[in-house]
Amino acid sequence: MPGRPRKSLQGDLVANEPSGFRLFYDRRKPRVVTADPWAFLSHLAATRLDKRHEDIANAYIAQGNDFFEAAQNPRFHSRPLLYYYAFLNVVKAALLIRKLPLPPLARHGISDPRANSRQRLRFAGQTVSIQRAAADHSEIFPELLRMLGYRGTLPRSFRVVDLLRVVPSIHRTFTQVMASPPIFAPVRRFELRYRRGSVWLRMRMTRTAKDVRTAPVRAQTRGIDNAIAAIARDVRECGIAAVLTMRGYHFYLVDTPPGLFMPHLAAMYGAIFYLGSITRYKPDVFDKIISGKQSWVVEEFLASLPTQFLYGLASELAGVDVVRPYAAAS
C-alpha cells in the first residue's frame, strides 16, 4: 500500500512505460487514439464476443449513440434524460464486452427515493439509492460498480452532492460554488522502477513535498506485467481519478473518507441518473436546481460529462488510455 519510505530506493525505470496503468491497465500496450469512441466500442465487441453477443452489444451501442446525438442539440432541459439513456445503453454493452451474462429485462439498479420529493427542495439533501447486486446480474448500476472495482457494501444511498464532489472534471467549479475544500491531489509524474527482482511505483506530487511510494512487488523478468498490474490495483483501491485533457489524461489521488468514495465514472453515472430522473418525472425540480446557486455546477457537469464518461469507459474496457487524436502527445 502507498506510504512514505524511510529511505529512498532509486532503481531503474521500467522499460516501455505502460500507458494508463494508473487507472486503466491490464498489460503494457500502446494507447488507443480514436476520434470515434463508439466505433472503438463496436471494435471491442467484434474482437471479444461471439457473433450473437456481438450483435446484442452493437444494438446497445447504436441505441446509445442515437440518444447521445439527440442530446447534442435539444433544449437544455431534456439533455440529462437523453444522456442517461445514452450511457445506460453503453454500460449494458460494456458489461457484455466484459462477458457478463445480462438478462434481457435488466433494471436500473439505482433509484430516486421518495424522500427526495419534499415540499421544499434542498439540493444538498437529494440522494440516490443503489440496489444490491442481483444473482442474475439484472441490476445494472451495481454491476457497473463491481466492474470499476467498488468494494463498498450494498444496498446504500449517496447524496447527489457527494457524487458530484468526486467528479474531477468539475471539481474546481464544485469547490467554489459549494464552498467545499478540494479533495483531489494532482500527481505530477508516475515512475515505475525496478531493482533486484522488485517493482514499485513512485508518485511525484509536487516539487517540495516528499514522493509517495508503493511497497515493492516481487517480479521476475517474465512476470513484470503481473507485478505492474498488482501495483495498479493497489493504487486504484486507494482512490484515483482521471480527467481527459488536450494533452492526455491527468491523474489525481482522491482524499475522501472510504464511506464516501465512489469510482469517478460511477459517480458520473449516478449523478446523470438523478438529473435524468427529475427531468422526466419532476421537471419543476430540475428548473429549481438550474436556477439555484448550484446551476453552474450542473451546467459544467452536463458540458463535460459526454467526453469524460465515454472515453473513460472505453479506457476501462481497453485496459489502456483511449484518447482523442489531439490528446495523443501527453
Side-chain angles (χ1 to χ4, degrees):
M1 297 297 290
R4 296 186 185 280
R6 292 182 179 180
K7 189 174 181 180
S8 175
L9 295 177
Q10 295 302 317
D12 297 319
L13 288 171
V14 170
N16 302 319
E17 180 184 0
S19 176
F21 87 95
R22 306 92 167 170
L23 189 57
F24 318 116
Y25 181 79
D26 56 13
R27 60 186 174 84
R28 283 177 289 177
K29 53 188 171 183
R31 64 169 49 179
V32 174
V33 181
T34 179
D36 188 348
W38 298 97
F40 177 68
L41 291 172
S42 291
H43 166 75
L44 291 178
T47 54
R48 298 186 183 183
L49 300 175
D50 59 49
K51 181 59 177 173
R52 183 172 73 87
H53 289 95
E54 177 193 350
D55 289 344
I56 297 172
N58 276 327
Y60 286 135
I61 292 168
Q63 189 171 96
N65 197 1
D66 287 344
F67 279 116
F68 187 88
E69 291 297 326
Q72 302 303 299
N73 292 307
R75 292 179 60 241
F76 178 77
H77 290 53
S78 66
R79 289 170 65 198
L81 183 61
L82 294 169
Y83 278 137
Y84 172 68
Y85 279 105
F87 295 132
L88 171 63
N89 278 280
V90 79
V91 165
K92 288 180 179 180
L95 294 173
L96 283 175
I97 291 169
R98 282 289 180 90
K99 305 295 182 67
L100 191 78
L102 279 182
L105 299 178
R107 297 180 290 272
H108 298 284
I110 183 172
S111 62
D112 175 8
R114 291 183 179 180
N116 283 346
S117 300
R118 298 187 178 92
Q119 188 172 7
R120 180 174 179 177
L121 173 70
R122 282 186 63 254
F123 184 65
Q126 297 289 286
T127 65
V128 292
S129 297
I130 305 169
Q131 276 68 59
R132 183 182 288 110
D136 63 353
H137 309 291
S138 58
E139 302 287 356
I140 296 297
F141 191 55
E143 298 298 340
L144 174 63
L145 285 170
R146 182 180 294 172
M147 186 183 88
L148 296 175
Y150 177 74
R151 294 180 178 272
T153 57
L154 297 175
R156 65 159 299 173
S157 295
F158 274 90
R159 293 194 309 159
V160 176
V161 292
D162 288 328
L163 298 180
L164 293 171
R165 190 191 314 274
V166 296
V167 176
S169 58
I170 64 166
H171 192 60
R172 212 168 269 244
T173 302
F174 183 91
T175 57
Q176 293 181 48
V177 173
M178 308 302 288
S180 173
I183 63 169
F184 290 105
V187 182
R188 288 181 176 270
R189 179 173 170 77
F190 293 86
E191 294 178 357
L192 277 170
R193 292 186 173 270
Y194 179 87
R195 183 184 184 189
R196 296 178 181 175
S198 293
V199 180
W200 65 93
L201 171 67
R202 175 179 290 174
M203 292 176 277
R204 297 188 179 275
M205 306 300 293
T206 68
R207 293 178 180 176
T208 56
K210 293 182 179 179
D211 297 339
V212 179
R213 180 176 63 80
T214 61
V217 176
R218 295 294 298 174
Q220 300 303 319
T221 303
R222 293 184 179 180
I224 195 168
D225 275 323
N226 291 333
I228 295 172
I231 292 171
R233 287 192 296 271
D234 283 347
V235 173
R236 185 167 175 151
E237 287 180 11
C238 291
I240 190 166
V243 175
L244 179 61
T245 73
M246 293 183 68
R247 297 186 60 197
Y249 280 101
H250 288 184
F251 293 90
Y252 302 83
L253 295 182
V254 186
D255 180 17
T256 189
L260 294 180
F261 176 73
M262 178 180 284
H264 70 286
L265 291 176
M268 292 180 192
Y269 187 94
I272 198 61
F273 165 82
Y274 168 78
L275 294 172
S277 178
I278 62 172
T279 299
R280 180 176 183 180
Y281 297 109
K282 298 175 285 187
D284 59 311
V285 172
F286 184 69
D287 290 341
K288 292 176 182 177
I289 288 174
I290 62 172
S291 62
K293 76 168 189 176
Q294 60 280 330
S295 62
W296 183 22
V297 174
V298 173
E299 292 177 18
E300 199 74 19
F301 174 70
L302 291 174
S304 66
L305 168 75
T307 297
Q308 297 296 331
F309 185 84
L310 197 56
Y311 276 87
L313 189 64
S315 299
E316 182 71 32
L317 293 172
V320 71
D321 295 8
V322 177
V323 299
R324 294 172 292 188
Y326 55 78
S330 61

